[in-house]
Amino acid sequence: MSHDELLALPTTVSVETAARAIRLGRTRAYEPARRGQFPCKVIRIGTSYRVVTADLRRILGIEPN
């Protein structure tokens, strides 16, 4: 995922999108998300998991201009 793509992401993204950004596979991303051990803040909404984009950018060292 490119720098520009990361800056264009909405406020929250799916676990799959976050996993792609940090180069994790889908299954390897959902396991820690379910256990509360994902490297970014994860919000559970019903049966869905959403990753906070600002936190994702922070761990990747990407700041908006």
Side-chain angles (χ1 to χ4, degrees):
M1 185 170 275
S2 74
H3 185 271
D4 289 336
E5 288 174 315
L6 287 165
L7 289 175
L9 292 174
T11 306
T12 64
V13 295
S14 67
V15 171
E16 291 98 344
T17 300
R20 197 172 87 220
I22 58 177
R23 296 189 171 118
L24 274 180
R26 182 181 181 274
T27 303
R28 286 192 164 252
Y30 269 103
E31 290 171 6
R34 287 186 186 109
R35 288 181 294 196
Q37 298 173 338
F38 199 76
C40 307
K41 182 173 176 134
V42 176
I43 301 169
R44 185 171 178 191
I45 303 169
T47 59
S48 298
Y49 292 88
R50 302 294 293 179
V51 176
V52 177
T53 303
D55 208 30
L56 176 62
R57 288 183 189 132
R58 182 188 53 76
I59 69 156
L60 294 171
I62 295 174
E63 297 295 326
N65 294 336

